[in-house]
Amino acid sequence: MTRPKRTANASYGADSIQVLEGLEAVRRRPAMYIGTTGPRGLHHLIWEIVDNSVDEALAGFCTRIDVTLLANGGVRVRDNGRGIPVDKRSDTNESALTTVMTTLHAGGKFDSDVYQMSGGLHGVGISVVNALSRRLVVEVVRQGYLWEQIFEFGEPVTKVKRVKPMKRTGTEVTFWADPEIFEESTEYSAKTVITRLREMAFLTKGLEIRFSDERGEELVEETFRYAGGIVDFVKYLNANRDPIHNQVAYFEHKDDNAEVEIALQWTSGYTETVLSFANNINTHEGGTHEEGFRTALTKAINDFARSRGVLKEKDKNLQGDDVREGLTAVISAKISEPQFEGQTKTKLGNTEIRSFVQKAMNQALPEWFGKHPGEARRIVDKASQAARARAAARQARDLTRRKSLLESSGLPGKLSDCSSKDPEVSELFIVEGDSAGGSAKQARNSRFQAILPIRGKIINVEKNRLARVLQNNEVQSLITAIGTGIGEELEITKARYNKIIILTDADVDGAHIRTLLLTFFFRHMREIIEHGYMYIAQPPLYSVKVGTKTTWVENDADLDEIKKGLEGRKFNVQRFKGLGEMNADQLWETTMDPAVRTLLRVELVERFSAEETFSTLMGTDVEARRRFIQQNAKDVRFLDA
Ligand code: 0RA
């Protein structure tokens, strides 16, 4: 396929030519515009288009968005908004549609010169999708007609064509991502798309978003529409938890420059789930809106606790961690000029938003407590229990520290450490059971591979307070071996290994232990996962015995291959039962040797979907867990290879 180059045309001014070079820049350095050209960047293309349709809904002109994953690999996003304007603009002599599709809106640098958008952020990002698509078809229904224009690699290959008369209004964008840009894969994950669309629907009260996946044998369809907005979001997050009050608290506040909505509900659990958004973008790293929220929350609960005598004069104030124990909250801020900071640009930086949210909460939360005194009392009682438990946890943690100091190296006795002190090359295998631990110890390359055997089941962190968790021997060994500390005090630079590899049997018990371990890391050492240090080893699934020779087979496809090759000969296939069945050499060859092994790296998908997964798997709702495990028996959802 040849790629047409758009040459500078006499009717464009110098500024415009700069803009035209802009789209080439997107193709040259796609990561600058969409973060990565891996799966995350690929999905970003969909979000860019959907965001534009959602903007149209926020402006009050669109009530429904349809997103379809097409059998031919394309994606279609249709909305019933006003439609992108199609008129020719006198200054550029070009249809506004063409301009929107081909003009890069790089943070407002170029847009004011060439094309002034009528409203807010409209159309931003569409051109980036266009630049990174091998083909894109845009259809607009507006002014009584259907209009169409087609692009390849961001360049128009047709004019804006008036196709036929048509009533109503709307925009439909269909695009096929360019495989030369997205080398790794151009295949979308239905789960990722569904999760994000559901999130968008929660954040845009009343908007109907329909999803269809036409790629498989069976059509998959889902419709998202939440009349309750983020109140429904909190209910959804708490579906498998046990709320301690029925009504979700909800506040909103608005001025000329900003708007915030907050929904919250406490559960009987110990984990805190506070999700924040700024202009519908998940602010994973928090920021000023979250800070204002937390400050006001702590103050309101302490004030209430004092006024009702739960806290006496001599008592110390409840701390933030105490009042947020078991809390599920969603904060959604809309800001005219958001500043995104932080490593992943997901931290809200606008300082004025801190006091904006704080003031709104200072007003609304005491009011809500006043109207719901029974609920407020339960919330405050829970927070003061948490404060007492925190004191106990500190004691336990001090104990852990002292204990590790007693051992000469400061490392747990069960750890067979590697000789290298360079974290970049060092690996820690967390191995299920002492006997497998013994094999792994024999098998390993002791220069860079450390072994930590874990006996029995590690404590379930969803069901136990931190104090109990820290008293657990297995947990203590893990923490001291890894070296970073835990929770808010975790220092990732102190990690003694940059690969932490879970090695469990390929059976149900193994899967359970793996989930318990992952839950522990997710709750208390999340940065280990976020830094990409967390891996899962893949021991083989089968052994095939021909005569005296045993071959280990990783998956069903390979097994079929091998069976075909053995036609006519006698052989014996066994499903691999446990690590203990292999001797040290076999364990090295199949699972530990970096040259041949397969490791799965653990990655967090959208955080609230991970929240859902962990609290379902490890929480108190047994029925929900059973359902979940049945539905996902072979699908380790929060893992990405
Ligand atoms: C520019 C101006 C207007 C709407 C849009 C763009 C627009 C863009 C997209 C992208 C997907 N769906 C969209 N819907 C609308 C305002 C149009 C007016 O003032 O009538």
Side-chain angles (χ1 to χ4, degrees), residues 43-232:
H43 289 83
H44 198 92
L45 301 182
I46 306 183
W47 318 150
E48 284 290 352
I49 306 288
V50 172
D51 281 355
N52 279 287
S53 299
V54 170
D55 279 349
E56 194 62 5
L58 290 171
F61 298 103
C62 162
T63 56
R64 179 167 157 187
I65 301 170
D66 289 78
V67 178
T68 307
L69 302 179
L70 301 170
N72 63 20
V75 182
R76 189 175 65 214
V77 179
R78 177 191 295 164
D79 68 51
N80 65 352
R82 286 170 291 182
I84 303 175
V86 291
D87 316 321
K88 260 198 182 159
R89 311 242 335 169
S90 56
D91 50 350
T92 57
N93 198 31
E94 180 176 79
S95 163
L97 179 59
T98 312
T99 312
V100 166
M101 300 309 300
T102 57
T103 306
L104 182 60
H105 293 84
K109 203 169 163 197
F110 299 118
D111 48 353
S112 57
D113 299 348
V114 175
Y115 181 69
Q116 191 70 56
M117 289 294 166
S118 59
L121 291 168
H122 258 119
V124 171
I126 279 207
S127 61
V128 171
V129 177
N130 194 19
L132 302 179
S133 295
R134 68 174 162 82
R135 182 179 167 83
L136 182 147
V137 178
V138 57
E139 295 187 329
V140 168
V141 185
R142 205 178 146 97
Q143 294 158 350
Y145 292 95
L146 169 67
W147 311 80
E148 183 195 77
Q149 189 170 26
I150 301 174
F151 302 83
E152 286 173 7
F153 309 102
E155 311 289 338
V157 293
T158 71
K159 293 192 170 147
V160 176
K161 195 165 113 193
R162 200 175 78 181
V163 182
K164 59 182 178 189
M166 199 177 272
K167 293 211 180 75
R168 291 187 290 270
T169 60
T171 303
E172 181 181 293
V173 177
T174 311
F175 65 90
W176 289 263
D178 183 356
E180 281 188 36
I181 301 273
F182 301 95
E183 278 171 54
E184 204 176 312
S185 160
T186 51
E187 200 176 319
Y188 301 92
S189 145
K191 161 134 172 85
T192 302
V193 176
I194 284 173
T195 302
R196 175 66 181 154
L197 294 182
R198 186 192 287 117
E199 180 178 279
M200 290 301 263
F202 279 131
L203 293 168
T204 320
K205 209 180 288 185
L207 172 65
E208 181 169 327
I209 304 183
R210 293 199 186 182
F211 168 81
S212 335
D213 187 352
E214 298 179 348
R215 298 170 305 173
E217 272 168 31
E218 260 176 67
L219 177 68
V220 178
E221 288 183 298
E222 293 219 40
T223 301
F224 306 108
R225 185 172 175 279
Y226 302 102
I230 61 169
V231 168
D232 289 340

Side-chain angles (χ1 to χ4, degrees), residues 186-340:
T186 51
E187 200 176 319
Y188 301 92
S189 145
K191 161 134 172 85
T192 302
V193 176
I194 284 173
T195 302
R196 175 66 181 154
L197 294 182
R198 186 192 287 117
E199 180 178 279
M200 290 301 263
F202 279 131
L203 293 168
T204 320
K205 209 180 288 185
L207 172 65
E208 181 169 327
I209 304 183
R210 293 199 186 182
F211 168 81
S212 335
D213 187 352
E214 298 179 348
R215 298 170 305 173
E217 272 168 31
E218 260 176 67
L219 177 68
V220 178
E221 288 183 298
E222 293 219 40
T223 301
F224 306 108
R225 185 172 175 279
Y226 302 102
I230 61 169
V231 168
D232 289 340
F233 202 163
V234 167
K235 286 181 186 163
Y236 173 82
L237 292 168
N238 280 347
N240 300 315
R241 296 176 173 151
D242 169 33
I244 60 171
H245 55 101
N246 284 331
Q247 204 192 81
V248 175
Y250 172 79
F251 321 115
E252 57 187 333
H253 185 66
K254 236 183 247 210
D255 74 9
D256 290 346
N257 298 313
E259 188 179 328
V260 67
E261 284 184 277
I262 296 166
L264 53 174
Q265 186 179 41
W266 276 263
T267 69
S268 63
Y270 307 118
T271 55
E272 170 192 337
T273 307
V274 175
L275 302 185
S276 67
F277 298 84
N279 294 4
N280 288 350
I281 291 162
N282 191 328
T283 33
H284 294 277
E285 298 171 280
T288 50
H289 52 343
E290 257 191 65
E291 289 161 19
F293 166 82
R294 281 198 235 115
T295 308
L297 184 72
T298 309
K299 176 171 166 25
I301 291 186
N302 274 296
D303 288 353
F304 187 87
R306 297 229 176 257
S307 75
R308 300 296 152 114
V310 178
L311 283 182
K312 306 278 184 301
E313 210 172 314
K314 61 171 177 29
D315 290 334
K316 277 198 194 130
N317 264 355
L318 302 167
Q319 294 189 359
D321 285 344
D322 305 330
V323 307
R324 293 192 306 274
E325 187 185 274
L327 172 67
T328 302
V330 174
I331 306 163
S332 171
K334 303 255 165 67
I335 299 150
S336 51
E337 284 181 49
Q339 290 156 16
F340 291 104

Side-chain angles (χ1 to χ4, degrees), residues 396-401 403-404 407 410-412 414 452 454 458-459 467-483 520:
R397 205 175 327 183
D398 288 348
L399 201 70
T400 316
R401 285 210 190 102
K403 208 166 162 179
S404 63
E407 288 160 59
L411 291 171
K414 297 200 299 178
L452 181 68
I454 291 276
I458 156 172
I459 187 166
R468 279 286 296 282
V469 173
L470 289 175
Q471 279 163 4
N472 181 272
N473 277 325
E474 312 302 310
V475 169
Q476 286 181 5
S477 310
L478 258 180
I479 299 170
T480 30
I482 293 171
F520 170 75

Side-chain angles (χ1 to χ4, degrees), residues 429 439-440 442-445 449 503 537-542 549-554 576 579 582-599:
F429 280 85
S439 300
Q442 273 181 34
R444 70 174 174 153
N445 181 331
Q449 293 180 317
L503 175 55
Q538 295 285 92
L541 269 188
Y542 301 101
K549 191 166 172 279
T550 303
T551 314
W552 300 93
V553 186
E554 212 169 276
F576 172 72
L579 296 166
M582 277 189 278
N583 63 34
D585 286 346
Q586 290 166 332
L587 189 60
W588 169 256
E589 281 162 25
T590 59
T591 314
M592 294 176 73
D593 178 2
V596 293
R597 72 187 177 191
T598 320
L599 292 182

